[in-house]
Amino acid sequence: MTTTYRIQNPATGELLQKFPFATDDKIQQALTDSATAYTRWSSMKMSERGKILEKLADLFEENAVDLAAQATLEMGKNSREAIGEVKYCARIIRYYATEGERLTADQELKNIDGQTAVLRRKSLGPLLGIMPWNFPFYQVIRFAAPNLMLGNTVLLKHAEICAGTALTIQEYMHKAGVLEGAYINVFATHDQASTIIADPRIHGVSLTGSERAGSAVGEQAGRHLKKAVLELGGSDPYIVLDSTDVATSARRALFSRLANSGQTCTSNKRMIIMDDIYDEFVAELTKLSAELTPGDPAEANRNEYAPLSSESAATGLMQQIDEARKAGANVLVGGERPDLPGYYVKPTVLTDIPESSKAFSEELFGPVVMVYRVATEDEAIELANSSVYGLGGSVFSTDEARAQQVADQLDVGMVHVNAFNVGGEDLPFGGVKRSGFGRELGPLGMDEFVNKQLLTLNTPR
């Protein structure tokens, strides 16, 4: 299987276009261009950069359908979800364009007897972003928008299967008026990414990806004393303490899990259900999953499921399902690939997953629901916190205080009561434990790659 940058349709497996890796000379030129552009880009007034980002937001909104089609073609995203992703990107860009000056305003720390101390937030310099394929526009924009607004410049290494999206984002940046060199797409190899991190002209790196990739990039960043933000895996607990309508609760849980074909870091991968509603909940999950059929992601039929992003993604997920089955887990529905072209895996429901199995501790990145039965709130909390990951989590109950009490004890970066995966351009995103560190979006997303400079002023006497 090819490992070059490419456009390959996950619904058919057809390889449509290949792109060569950058030469080492091109990587060095990109570093030079980014550093050169930084001097001019960072010296512009923030309001000027804001106008450019406003134009970029307009372009994303006006061309949402066409941009979404690129994501559908490259990584198999349901077209309805893809359009939503692009429109969300426009909101993120506009948020930083309009709120950037307020978020980075000087903060007075002390003003006593003629001495003034001020905390200022200034740009750092060129940055490297290493972004994944599962949200090919959103992952890039949530990193690039706040940093471009700050005055940092960006080198962006996208996933190999998102070559078209990567080029399109760069094209739209330039259409909007982002300075040549302030945003550069690089079709870099992993070794070349390491070279970029080590280069003294680079001041930080942000990666969204697997735990393994995060460990490698974090190690390299630390070795070269570079600031890093890592958004890694997740196996989010989804605790249902009670429900007056179990069938509806199960439906909501299932279709939350199947969004983006289950390829979402904050997906509700572990459903932890109280004993008295467990059987009915699982029966409904199984029935609904069995009714779904494979379909063309460009059609966005609600009764169909989309393919995974690549053959390696589908093969890897099937290996995890098979291992869970051999370890003693029950596969109630799914657990196989349909006899079709493309990278489809049938929606799968796993129960009775042994603690000794890999599935108990691994992240399953695809349309697999893992359901656990618990008898008490303490048992639910213990199970939820047993994961090495700590990205997000949700607790549902008709008694909000009860749900809040459980939610308060979850070791995660984002917790939701009677809601799932709540997010927004103005809300910070990130996790704890092996889900990484640092935050994106909201005020905190603009406070990562910043020189928090102390300025003191003493009035002469």
Side-chain angles (χ1 to χ4, degrees):
M1 181 177 176
T2 179
T3 57
T4 59
Y5 282 86
R6 61 199 183 275
I7 299 174
Q8 190 163 12
N9 187 347
T12 64
E14 182 183 5
L15 179 62
L16 302 173
Q17 195 171 359
K18 294 167 62 175
F19 301 82
F21 287 114
T23 64
D24 290 343
D25 286 345
K26 282 189 175 181
I27 295 296
Q28 289 301 315
Q29 187 62 55
L31 284 161
T32 298
D33 292 346
S34 186
T36 301
Y38 173 71
T39 301
R40 183 177 162 198
W41 182 250
S42 61
S43 66
M44 294 170 61
K45 292 181 179 179
M46 187 172 280
S47 59
E48 294 181 75
R49 294 194 295 268
K51 289 178 182 178
I52 292 171
L53 289 186
E54 284 272 21
K55 175 61 176 175
L56 181 62
D58 290 341
L59 288 171
F60 268 66
E61 285 179 344
E62 293 162 5
N63 298 279
V65 173
D66 290 342
L67 292 174
Q70 184 75 54
T72 298
L73 177 65
E74 287 190 317
M75 54 76 56
K77 189 185 296 287
N78 171 302
S79 62
R80 183 180 63 257
E81 294 177 355
I83 291 171
E85 177 184 339
V86 175
K87 290 182 176 179
Y88 185 23
C89 288
R91 296 199 301 274
I92 292 169
I93 298 165
R94 203 175 303 284
Y95 169 76
Y96 286 111
T98 57
E99 296 294 319
E101 289 192 82
R102 179 182 66 82
L103 295 174
T104 56
D106 289 354
Q107 179 184 349
E108 187 174 289
L109 302 177
K110 184 169 67 173
N111 188 349
I112 303 173
D113 297 331
Q115 184 184 68
T116 300
V118 177
L119 179 66
R120 304 197 295 183
R121 289 173 169 83
K122 305 183 71 174
S123 58
L124 274 183
L127 307 173
L128 172 64
I130 303 174
M131 295 297 140
W133 45 262
N134 59 329
F135 288 90
F137 288 102
Y138 161 70
Q139 302 282 10
V140 172
I141 292 301
R142 75 179 189 183
F143 162 66
N147 284 299
L148 289 172
M149 187 61 181
L150 274 165
N152 295 322
T153 55
V154 171
L155 293 176
L156 201 292
K157 179 196 180 304
H158 215 322
E160 283 85 349
I161 65 171
C162 292
T165 302
L167 293 172
T168 298
I169 293 172
Q170 179 173 260
E171 175 189 350
Y172 274 57
M173 290 282 182
H174 294 159
K175 278 184 180 180
V178 173
L179 187 67
E180 200 70 38
Y183 181 95
I184 303 174
N185 174 73
V186 288
F187 284 157
T189 65
H190 295 298
D191 287 344
Q192 288 171 333
S194 299
T195 297
I196 295 171
I197 294 171
D199 193 282
R201 290 167 288 189
I202 291 294
H203 289 258
V205 56
S206 179
L207 174 136
T208 297
S210 67
E211 183 183 346
R212 185 175 68 174
S215 295
V217 167
E219 179 184 5
Q220 293 163 17
R223 186 185 315 133
H224 298 288
L225 302 179
K226 305 294 177 71
K227 172 67 186 287
V229 169
L230 303 177
E231 195 272 282
L232 310 178
S235 189
D236 289 8
Y238 186 98
I239 301 171
V240 184
L241 300 174
D242 56 71
S243 174
T244 57
D245 186 344
V246 176
T248 297
S249 295
R251 172 179 287 273
R252 184 183 300 117
L254 177 65
F255 287 102
S256 296
R257 177 67 181 109
L258 297 183
N260 204 35
S261 296
Q263 301 168 121
T264 303
C265 298
T266 52
S267 185
N268 48 332
K269 300 183 179 79
R270 294 181 297 146
M271 298 185 190
I272 300 171
I273 313 300
M274 293 298 279
D275 183 73
D276 58 337
I277 61 172
Y278 175 89
D279 289 336
E280 184 180 353
F281 194 96
V282 169
E284 188 69 15
L285 288 177
T286 304
K287 178 178 77 71
L288 293 172
S289 297
E291 292 171 352
L292 297 172
T293 57
D296 183 349
E299 299 298 327
N301 189 315
R302 291 182 182 272
N303 297 317
E304 297 176 342
Y305 59 91
L308 297 188
S309 62
S310 65
E311 176 60 29
S312 60
T315 301
L317 183 64
M318 283 303 307
Q319 289 173 347
Q320 290 178 300
I321 294 171
D322 289 342
E323 191 280 332
R325 182 191 284 114
K326 291 174 183 176
N330 288 324
V331 181
L332 301 185
V333 67
E336 58 187 3
R337 297 179 66 172
D339 187 17
L340 291 170
Y343 313 134
Y344 294 88
V345 173
K346 292 182 179 181
T348 301
V349 177
L350 294 179
T351 62
D352 303 305
I353 302 152
E355 191 170 345
S356 59
S357 69
K358 291 182 180 179
F360 187 88
S361 56
E362 289 182 341
E363 177 182 28
L364 273 66
F365 215 57
V368 179
V369 176
M370 297 189 291
V371 198
Y372 297 85
R373 184 197 299 264
V374 293
T376 66
E377 293 170 16
D378 286 345
E379 189 180 348
I381 294 165
E382 182 181 1
L383 178 58
N385 289 337
S386 67
S387 175
V388 297
Y389 299 109
L391 195 53
S394 297
V395 184
F396 293 83
S397 174
T398 55
D399 183 342
E400 186 176 307
R402 182 189 185 197
Q404 176 78 60
Q405 186 179 36
V406 172
D408 285 345
Q409 299 178 70
L410 298 186
D411 299 333
V412 296
M414 300 170 286
V415 66
H416 315 293
V417 172
N418 289 328
F420 167 69
N421 197 14
V422 177
E425 60 274 15
D426 54 350
L427 299 177
F429 184 104
V432 296
K433 299 196 287 188
R434 296 191 73 83
S435 288
F437 47 77
R439 292 295 183 269
E440 295 182 285
L441 297 177
L444 301 185
M446 204 167 187
D447 214 34
E448 290 287 353
F449 296 102
V450 176
N451 174 9
K452 299 180 180 72
Q453 185 184 72
L454 174 66
L455 169 68
T456 61
L457 299 168
N458 287 292
T459 304
R461 300 193 179 187

